[in-house]
Amino acid sequence: MTTIGFIYPDHAAEDDYPLAEQLLGGTAVDEGDIRLAVEHIYGTDKHAVAELLDLGSEARLADGAALLAKHEPAAVIWACTSGSFVYGWEGARDQADRLAAVAGVPASSTSFAFVHAARALGVKRVAVAASYPDDIARLFVDFLGAGGIEVVSMASADIVTAAEVGAMSPEAVVELAVGHDHPGAEAVLVPDTAMRTLGEINAVEAALGKPVLTANQVTVWEGLRLTGQHRLVRSLGALFRHLPGGSA
């Protein structure tokens, strides 16, 4: 069995992870059971720069790694988009490196997961449908740009707290993603691990006619990537129907 550890901030949409674990029981490219272990760290859930810098601090992530240690994970992911991209590309790289050092296993974050997932699909031009306030959403755009991903349009829903995002209805999630597509975008990106999206991905892709990448989706995928595990799961969008080095 391969265990992947996730450090999740506070509580909002963490039930996406047991759902993902259940769905990952499907066809395996690499044999072996997958366990997704989630531990929580706590701070303010406000989408504001100072608060996010504190939430993603070395000390808080070290606490999360310590909580995950009992699960003996093969990799650890900081399951927070804004709490990683707020540091910028180099700062987020340092954040992941320090997490890997304290956890003793490979580590990454949701922000890098978005870039790696887009690259895996060959996507270079995207639309961003963000729940964040505008200033925070623009930092995500900057991060994607540093990773070689061009943002052709960005919309922000101006939701201040993760708790409010976690309370969004499935219909609201679909409306956010579908309503902020752009004809020049090859995919739509929906950041924020506080948003429940796994159950809505196929509906969004059917409406868009293109891939959608969401925070909890790419976070789980990143954990699989770091551990060399791959799953073909038709209910989790184009990303999980894509074979590494191959086609869907």
Side-chain angles (χ1 to χ4, degrees), residues 46-58 61 78 80-93 95 109-112 132-133 135-144 191:
K46 186 177 180 182
H47 291 135
V49 171
E51 286 80 359
L52 291 170
L53 289 172
D54 175 70
L55 185 63
S57 67
E58 183 177 0
L61 295 190
W78 170 218
C80 183
T81 327
S82 55
S84 46
F85 69 66
V86 72
Y87 285 84
W89 185 269
E90 293 302 326
R93 181 72 273 156
Q95 180 190 60
S109 66
T110 304
S111 293
F112 285 117
Y132 312 123
D135 62 326
I136 302 300
R138 292 189 182 280
L139 294 178
F140 183 51
V141 171
D142 293 343
F143 186 91
L144 293 172

Coordinates of all heavy atoms in Angstrom, one line a residue, residues 46-58 61 78 80-93 95 109-112 132-133 135-144 191:
K46 N -8.9 33.4 6.4 CA -9.1 34.5 5.6 C -8.2 34.5 4.4 O -7.0 34.2 4.5 CB -8.9 35.8 6.4 CG -9.2 37.1 5.7 CD -9.0 38.3 6.7 CE -9.3 39.6 6.0 NZ -9.1 40.8 6.9
H47 N -8.7 34.9 3.2 CA -7.9 35.0 2.0 C -7.3 36.4 2.0 O -7.8 37.3 1.3 CB -8.7 34.7 0.8 CG -9.2 33.3 0.6 ND1 -10.5 33.0 0.3 CD2 -8.5 32.2 0.8 CE1 -10.6 31.7 0.2 NE2 -9.4 31.1 0.6
A48 N -6.2 36.6 2.7 CA -5.5 37.8 2.7 C -4.0 37.5 2.9 O -3.6 36.5 3.5 CB -6.0 38.7 3.9
V49 N -3.2 38.4 2.3 CA -1.7 38.0 2.2 C -1.1 37.7 3.5 O -0.4 36.6 3.7 CB -1.0 39.2 1.5 CG1 0.5 38.9 1.6 CG2 -1.4 39.3 0.0
A50 N -1.2 38.5 4.5 CA -0.5 38.3 5.8 C -1.0 37.0 6.5 O -0.2 36.2 7.0 CB -0.8 39.5 6.8
E51 N -2.3 36.8 6.4 CA -2.8 35.6 7.0 C -2.4 34.3 6.3 O -2.1 33.3 6.9 CB -4.4 35.6 7.0 CG -5.0 36.6 8.1 CD -4.9 38.0 7.7 OE1 -4.4 38.3 6.6 OE2 -5.4 38.9 8.5
L52 N -2.3 34.4 5.0 CA -1.9 33.2 4.2 C -0.4 33.0 4.4 O 0.0 31.8 4.4 CB -2.2 33.5 2.7 CG -3.7 33.5 2.3 CD1 -3.9 34.0 0.9 CD2 -4.3 32.1 2.5
L53 N 0.4 34.0 4.5 CA 1.8 33.8 4.8 C 2.0 33.1 6.1 O 2.9 32.2 6.3 CB 2.6 35.1 4.8 CG 2.8 35.8 3.4 CD1 3.3 37.2 3.6 CD2 3.6 35.0 2.5
D54 N 1.2 33.4 7.1 CA 1.3 32.7 8.4 C 0.8 31.3 8.3 O 1.4 30.4 8.8 CB 0.4 33.5 9.4 CG 0.4 32.8 10.7 OD1 1.4 32.7 11.4 OD2 -0.7 32.2 11.1
L55 N -0.3 31.1 7.5 CA -0.8 29.7 7.4 C 0.2 28.8 6.7 O 0.2 27.6 7.1 CB -2.1 29.8 6.6 CG -2.9 28.5 6.4 CD1 -3.4 28.0 7.8 CD2 -4.1 28.7 5.4
G56 N 0.9 29.3 5.8 CA 1.9 28.4 5.1 C 3.3 28.5 5.6 O 4.2 28.0 5.0
S57 N 3.4 29.0 6.8 CA 4.8 29.1 7.4 C 5.4 27.8 7.7 O 4.8 26.7 7.8 CB 4.7 29.9 8.7 OG 4.0 29.2 9.7
E58 N 6.8 27.9 7.8 CA 7.6 26.6 8.0 C 7.1 25.9 9.3 O 7.0 24.7 9.3 CB 9.0 27.0 8.1 CG 10.0 25.8 8.2 CD 11.4 26.2 8.2 OE1 11.7 27.4 8.1 OE2 12.3 25.3 8.4
L61 N 3.7 24.1 8.8 CA 3.8 22.9 8.0 C 4.6 21.8 8.7 O 4.3 20.6 8.5 CB 4.4 23.3 6.6 CG 3.6 24.2 5.7 CD1 4.2 24.3 4.3 CD2 2.1 23.8 5.7
W78 N 1.2 19.9 0.6 CA 0.6 21.0 1.3 C -0.7 21.3 0.5 O -0.6 21.9 -0.6 CB 1.5 22.2 1.4 CG 1.0 23.5 1.8 CD1 1.4 24.7 1.3 CD2 0.1 23.9 2.9 NE1 0.8 25.8 1.9 CE2 0.0 25.3 2.9 CE3 -0.7 23.1 3.7 CZ2 -0.9 25.9 3.8 CZ3 -1.5 23.8 4.6 CH2 -1.6 25.1 4.7
C80 N -3.0 23.3 -0.1 CA -3.5 24.7 0.0 C -2.9 25.5 -1.2 O -1.7 25.6 -1.3 CB -3.1 25.3 1.3 SG -3.8 27.0 1.5
T81 N -3.8 26.0 -2.0 CA -3.3 26.8 -3.2 C -2.8 28.2 -2.7 O -1.6 28.5 -2.9 CB -4.4 27.0 -4.2 OG1 -5.3 25.8 -4.3 CG2 -3.8 27.2 -5.6
S82 N -3.7 29.0 -2.1 CA -3.3 30.3 -1.8 C -2.2 30.4 -0.7 O -1.4 31.3 -0.7 CB -4.5 31.1 -1.3 OG -5.1 30.4 -0.2
G83 N -2.1 29.4 0.2 CA -1.1 29.3 1.2 C 0.3 28.9 0.6 O 1.3 28.8 1.4
S84 N 0.3 28.6 -0.7 CA 1.6 28.3 -1.3 C 2.0 29.4 -2.4 O 3.1 30.0 -2.4 CB 1.6 26.9 -1.9 OG 0.5 26.6 -2.7
F85 N 1.0 29.7 -3.3 CA 1.4 30.7 -4.3 C 1.6 32.1 -3.8 O 2.3 32.9 -4.4 CB 0.4 30.7 -5.5 CG -1.0 31.3 -5.2 CD1 -1.2 32.6 -4.8 CD2 -2.1 30.5 -5.3 CE1 -2.5 33.1 -4.6 CE2 -3.4 30.9 -5.0 CZ -3.6 32.3 -4.7
V86 N 1.1 32.4 -2.6 CA 1.3 33.7 -2.0 C 2.8 34.0 -1.7 O 3.2 35.2 -1.6 CB 0.5 33.8 -0.6 CG1 1.1 33.0 0.5 CG2 0.3 35.3 -0.2
Y87 N 3.6 32.9 -1.7 CA 5.0 33.1 -1.5 C 5.8 33.4 -2.8 O 7.0 33.6 -2.8 CB 5.6 31.8 -0.8 CG 5.3 31.7 0.6 CD1 4.1 31.1 1.1 CD2 6.2 32.1 1.6 CE1 3.8 31.0 2.4 CE2 5.9 32.0 2.9 CZ 4.8 31.4 3.3 OH 4.5 31.3 4.7
G88 N 5.1 33.3 -3.9 CA 5.8 33.5 -5.2 C 6.4 32.1 -5.6 O 6.5 31.2 -4.8
W89 N 6.9 32.1 -6.8 CA 7.5 30.8 -7.3 C 8.6 30.3 -6.5 O 8.7 29.2 -6.0 CB 7.9 31.0 -8.8 CG 8.4 29.7 -9.4 CD1 9.6 29.2 -9.4 CD2 7.5 28.7 -10.0 NE1 9.7 28.0 -10.1 CE2 8.4 27.7 -10.5 CE3 6.2 28.6 -10.3 CZ2 7.9 26.5 -11.1 CZ3 5.7 27.5 -11.0 CH2 6.6 26.5 -11.4
E90 N 9.6 31.2 -6.3 CA 10.8 30.7 -5.5 C 10.5 30.5 -4.1 O 11.0 29.5 -3.4 CB 11.9 31.8 -5.6 CG 12.5 31.9 -7.1 CD 13.0 30.6 -7.6 OE1 13.6 29.8 -6.8 OE2 12.9 30.3 -8.8
G91 N 9.6 31.3 -3.5 CA 9.2 31.1 -2.1 C 8.5 29.8 -1.9 O 8.6 29.1 -0.9
A92 N 7.6 29.5 -2.9 CA 6.8 28.2 -2.8 C 7.7 27.0 -3.0 O 7.5 26.0 -2.4 CB 5.7 28.2 -3.8
R93 N 8.8 27.2 -3.8 CA 9.7 26.1 -4.0 C 10.5 25.9 -2.7 O 10.7 24.7 -2.3 CB 10.7 26.5 -5.1 CG 11.8 25.5 -5.4 CD 11.2 24.3 -6.2 NE 10.7 23.3 -5.3 CZ 9.8 22.4 -5.6 NH1 9.2 22.4 -6.7 NH2 9.4 21.5 -4.7
Q95 N 9.4 26.6 0.3 CA 8.4 26.0 1.2 C 8.3 24.5 1.0 O 8.3 23.8 2.0 CB 7.0 26.7 0.9 CG 5.9 26.2 1.8 CD 4.6 26.7 1.3 OE1 4.1 26.5 0.2 NE2 3.9 27.5 2.1
S109 N 3.1 21.1 -3.3 CA 1.9 21.9 -2.9 C 0.9 22.0 -4.0 O 1.2 21.7 -5.2 CB 2.3 23.3 -2.4 OG 2.8 24.1 -3.5
T110 N -0.3 22.4 -3.7 CA -1.3 22.5 -4.7 C -1.0 23.5 -5.8 O -1.3 23.3 -7.0 CB -2.7 23.0 -4.0 OG1 -3.0 22.1 -3.0 CG2 -3.8 23.0 -5.0
S111 N -0.3 24.6 -5.5 CA 0.1 25.5 -6.6 C 1.0 24.8 -7.6 O 0.8 25.0 -8.8 CB 0.8 26.7 -6.0 OG 0.0 27.5 -5.2
F112 N 2.0 24.1 -7.2 CA 2.9 23.4 -8.1 C 2.1 22.3 -8.8 O 2.3 22.0 -10.0 CB 4.1 22.8 -7.4 CG 5.1 23.8 -7.1 CD1 5.5 24.1 -5.8 CD2 5.7 24.5 -8.1 CE1 6.4 25.0 -5.5 CE2 6.7 25.5 -7.8 CZ 7.1 25.7 -6.5
Y132 N -11.3 33.6 -4.8 CA -10.6 34.5 -4.0 C -11.0 36.0 -4.3 O -11.5 36.3 -5.3 CB -9.1 34.5 -4.2 CG -8.5 33.1 -4.2 CD1 -7.8 32.6 -5.3 CD2 -8.6 32.3 -3.1 CE1 -7.2 31.4 -5.2 CE2 -8.1 31.0 -3.0 CZ -7.3 30.5 -4.1 OH -6.8 29.3 -4.1
P133 N -10.6 36.9 -3.3 CA -10.6 38.3 -3.7 C -9.7 38.6 -4.8 O -8.7 37.8 -5.1 CB -10.2 39.0 -2.4 CG -10.5 38.0 -1.3 CD -10.3 36.7 -1.9
D135 N -7.1 40.6 -5.4 CA -5.7 40.7 -5.2 C -5.0 39.4 -5.0 O -3.9 39.2 -5.5 CB -5.4 41.7 -4.1 CG -5.9 41.2 -2.7 OD1 -7.0 40.6 -2.7 OD2 -5.3 41.5 -1.7
I136 N -5.7 38.5 -4.4 CA -5.2 37.1 -4.1 C -5.2 36.3 -5.4 O -4.2 35.6 -5.8 CB -6.0 36.4 -3.0 CG1 -5.9 37.2 -1.7 CG2 -5.4 35.0 -2.8 CD1 -4.5 37.5 -1.2
A137 N -6.3 36.4 -6.2 CA -6.4 35.7 -7.5 C -5.2 36.2 -8.4 O -4.7 35.3 -9.2 CB -7.7 36.0 -8.1
R138 N -4.9 37.4 -8.4 CA -3.8 37.9 -9.3 C -2.5 37.3 -8.9 O -1.6 37.1 -9.8 CB -3.8 39.4 -9.3 CG -5.0 40.0 -9.9 CD -4.9 41.5 -10.2 NE -6.2 42.0 -10.8 CZ -6.5 41.9 -12.0 NH1 -5.6 41.3 -12.9 NH2 -7.6 42.3 -12.5
L139 N -2.3 37.0 -7.6 CA -1.0 36.3 -7.2 C -1.0 34.9 -7.8 O 0.1 34.4 -8.2 CB -0.9 36.3 -5.7 CG -0.8 37.6 -5.0 CD1 -0.7 37.4 -3.5 CD2 0.5 38.3 -5.5
F140 N -2.1 34.3 -8.0 CA -2.1 32.9 -8.6 C -1.8 33.1 -10.1 O -1.1 32.3 -10.6 CB -3.5 32.3 -8.4 CG -3.7 30.9 -9.0 CD1 -2.7 29.9 -8.7 CD2 -4.7 30.6 -9.8 CE1 -2.9 28.6 -9.2 CE2 -4.9 29.3 -10.4 CZ -3.9 28.3 -10.0
V141 N -2.3 34.1 -10.7 CA -2.0 34.4 -12.1 C -0.5 34.6 -12.3 O 0.1 34.0 -13.2 CB -2.8 35.6 -12.6 CG1 -2.3 36.0 -14.0 CG2 -4.3 35.3 -12.6
D142 N 0.1 35.3 -11.4 CA 1.6 35.5 -11.4 C 2.3 34.2 -11.3 O 3.3 34.0 -12.0 CB 2.0 36.5 -10.3 CG 1.5 37.9 -10.6 OD1 1.0 38.3 -11.7 OD2 1.5 38.7 -9.6
F143 N 1.8 33.4 -10.4 CA 2.5 32.1 -10.1 C 2.4 31.2 -11.4 O 3.4 30.6 -11.8 CB 1.8 31.4 -8.9 CG 2.5 30.1 -8.5 CD1 3.5 30.2 -7.5 CD2 2.2 28.9 -9.1 CE1 4.2 29.0 -7.2 CE2 2.9 27.8 -8.7 CZ 3.9 27.8 -7.7
L144 N 1.3 31.2 -12.0 CA 1.1 30.4 -13.2 C 2.1 30.9 -14.3 O 2.7 30.1 -15.0 CB -0.3 30.4 -13.7 CG -1.3 29.7 -12.8 CD1 -2.8 30.0 -13.3 CD2 -1.1 28.2 -12.7
P191 N -8.9 27.3 -8.6 CA -8.1 27.1 -7.4 C -9.0 27.1 -6.1 O -10.2 27.5 -6.2 CB -7.2 28.3 -7.5 CG -7.9 29.3 -8.2 CD -8.8 28.6 -9.2

